[in-house]
Amino acid sequence: MKYIYLTFFYCFALLSAKAQTPSFPTSGDIYLGLKKLNVLGSVLYVAAHPDDENTRLLTYFSKDKAYRTGYLSLTRGDGGQNLIGEEQGIELGLIRTQELLAARRIDGAEQFFSRAYDFGFSKSPQETFTKWDRENILSDVVWVIRKFQPDVIITRFPTTGEGGHGHHTASAILANEAFTAAADARRFPEQLKYVQPWQAKRILWNGFNFGGGANTPITSDQLKLDVGGFNPVLGRSYGEIAADSRSQHKSQGFGVPRSRGEASESFTTTAGVRPSTDLFEDVITDWKKVKGGDAITALINNTIASFDFLAPQKSVPQLVKVYKALQGLPTGYWRDKKMKETKDLIEAASGLWMEAFTANQYAVQGDSLRINFVLNDRLGAGITVEKITVENFDSTVNNLLTKNKNLAFSKTIFVDNEKPITQPYWLKEKMQEGYFVVTDQQMIGQPDVQTAYTVSYTLRMGGESFSFTKPLRYKFTDPVKGEVYQPVYVIPSATVMASPSILLFKNHEKGSSEISLQVNANKPLQGKADVHIKSLAYDSTKTDAGFSLLTNSSKFYSFALDNGKAGIRPTDNLYGSFHYTDNQKEAVAYLSMRSINYDHVPSIRYFYGDAVKLVSVDLKTENKKVGYIVGAGDKVPDALEQMGYEVTLLTDKELARNNLQQFDAIISGVRAYNTNEWLNGYYEKLMKYVEGGGNLVVQYNTSSNIGPVKAKIGPYNFNISRNRITDESAAVKFLKPEHPVLNFPNKISQDDFKGWIQERSIYHADNLDAHYESILRMNDPGEAAHDGSLVIAKYGKGFFTYTGLVFFRELPAGVPGAYRLLANIIALNKIKGS
């Protein structure tokens, strides 16, 4: 796994608990961290999504000005499009959460979220607020402001709509409302149990010029700031660092080049005192902010002046003096923040190494877990280990570490059956349509899942005891990647997985279908079990009188489900469960564990109630063999198999060596032409396939990545626009009601467009050659109609179709009409007389 090592110390201590690979601060990092001790200013940046943030500005604030810098993204980006895999919805949000955290580890800012769910593209803040609970999300922004206490708040977007996306504008509206509400004790008084009202000095809009469009106003009266400087201690410009940060948004395909030289940012004040020359004008950003702080300034300056880059451990005694002086100040926000920064600097300057790791990624409920501890006083700073605590293990050590020699030992602990499984806190409760349900006030805003285990080390150095906490990590050596760290997860003793995820019941067909329940043992299990597949109205049970499962082994149980059987409702979700005895206690396995693994982020695990969704549909199909060109990743092939097609996945090699005429239809996956440059090389072969009687169906591609599409996808010219229909219930007009695609083999009606989710269609075809026929017309409320969601052309003996209809969302959601319409598109070349 590729990891990002922090090169700027004064953010590493705060963020390293969320990163998996330990940080390795240099003397340069420590020096910059010492200078940061004298800076008592903070700035909060607010926008709607991962990748909305201005990473260059965040880098400048955190690394040049040394302000405490935060980014509040109202959503986790759940509704976006995934360039690297098939994950959608909350799974994409989990990936984009980790991408944001990876970005922050590079640019030095901190990350926060609200409970808002990214439900997809929205064309206005009014539409956005119909799904977000406006007051709840406002309370989250107020909470983050009160907790973070920014001197200055900056929004990425204006409140007037130039941001183009309803979420963007809504984020600015909420930030400006929260600027005032956070200072009002009458607003959200339940928060005052933990925080106090806070009034920032000002809130500004950070002007932008995306693509130089006319919708990006930057005026001469705005405050301008050059953020393109070069940091000689880091050896990099802020533009170079920011590019590496932004390039972490890999699921969105947002890799950018590193920039150097001047870079101007503009700001418009939207509330508070307007600055004339500096964003922090009239804001005290040094120790004058704290009563008694003058003495702290002198101590820090002395430490900086005597800092030895070749022997940073010499600064430990002075840093201990700084820490003790801070202890003597009245309890307060900056006193507490600087105590933590000082303690982290003591750790870094001393050369201390502390880690606790396991050889197993999973801590299984009711099982044991062996933990390995390693400590090393690498620079001989004179460190005594007093105590180490983790969960139910508490050890008094009182061991003086020998310079640069490891103190290593192991301890086995028991994982209690009641130990909570490791689950993202925002997924613990059933979510609402537009937001997650989080009832613990203190969890709101937190970016990541809670660490499964934390280890507390009590150490003495410089005559003072310090307590350090570190996450327990899973560590192993990969023959290619080397030493790899990953999170540790608490998991149940068994999990289940039901398949298929969608089960189609075709109304005109009789017979039975098979449901499989896979039981996975996470530790040795044996005995008697009852296995269930059930819904509210149906329960099928099998008894296994003597099962025996080893760790990481599985057993499958099959259930026959008859179409039309009493008790089975065609819109039910069927859930599987496994009832067994574990450690002489009755136990039920009903959760499935989903694993998401990419090299650029830590491994992701979450749990959910796995279900088979029953879909009753009057579906007829023609054609049998479908080739599917793999794109950015989607679940359409699974749906095709449920429909009864034989599906062959086509990659570069398969397209090269296969005779395409064997396929009744070929479908390209979403964004296939964006993600597969090699696909352009098969244009002639695909066109010959169509001309010879084949049926080529191209799902949406984006215009931004490949520009206008002319004679590289279809047989005739057309462009891909950014037109989209975001209202999933938008009226659909049939422009060609007699066209075969609306009549064979399924008669398409308005009922087939009921129950769609998130949106209708994206990236429509435009500027069509006369050979194309537009089949559907639709529009969002108050907007002009678009005819490019489904266009079809006859070419030779075959057919070419381009569609922006979001089959990749509707099919996994079990929308019957989406299945029927796709079946008709696949059948185009089987129509008599075609």
Side-chain angles (χ1 to χ4, degrees), residues 176-319:
N176 278 270
E177 290 179 0
F179 173 79
T180 301
D184 187 348
R186 296 168 298 179
R187 300 302 309 274
F188 312 110
E190 69 279 2
Q191 298 179 2
L192 301 184
K193 179 181 178 181
Y194 310 102
V195 294
Q196 296 300 313
W198 179 255
Q199 180 62 71
K201 190 72 172 181
R202 58 184 58 93
I203 182 170
L204 311 98
W205 163 50
N206 176 202
F208 54 85
N209 191 20
F210 301 152
N215 65 336
T216 54
I218 296 179
T219 60
S220 59
D221 62 340
Q222 293 171 327
L223 188 148
K224 303 294 193 302
L225 182 65
D226 178 17
V227 300
F230 176 79
N231 191 312
V233 178
L234 299 175
R236 304 175 74 195
S237 73
Y238 303 128
E240 291 171 320
I241 297 168
D244 288 351
S245 172
R246 186 160 183 77
S247 295
Q248 298 310 300
H249 297 297
K250 299 183 189 302
S251 64
Q252 305 305 296
F254 273 7
V256 295
R258 300 182 179 100
S259 65
R260 300 158 191 88
E262 292 183 355
S264 180
E265 296 289 343
S266 63
F267 302 89
T268 300
T269 305
T270 54
V273 182
R274 178 180 175 182
S276 56
T277 59
D278 190 291
L279 290 173
F280 278 71
E281 204 166 273
D282 300 323
V283 176
I284 299 173
T285 60
D286 58 22
W287 278 103
K288 294 184 179 67
K289 204 168 197 169
V290 177
K291 185 178 180 180
D294 289 341
I296 304 297
T297 301
L299 286 172
I300 293 171
N301 287 339
N302 289 338
T303 306
I304 294 172
S306 62
F307 181 69
D308 187 342
F309 279 78
L310 297 180
Q313 74 275 15
K314 293 179 180 178
S315 293
V316 169
Q318 291 170 293
L319 283 167

Side-chain angles (χ1 to χ4, degrees), residues 16 108 207 229 330 358 379 430 650 730 738 808:
S16 61
T358 74
L379 292 176
K430 183 179 180 181
L650 301 176
E738 302 305 318
F808 72 100

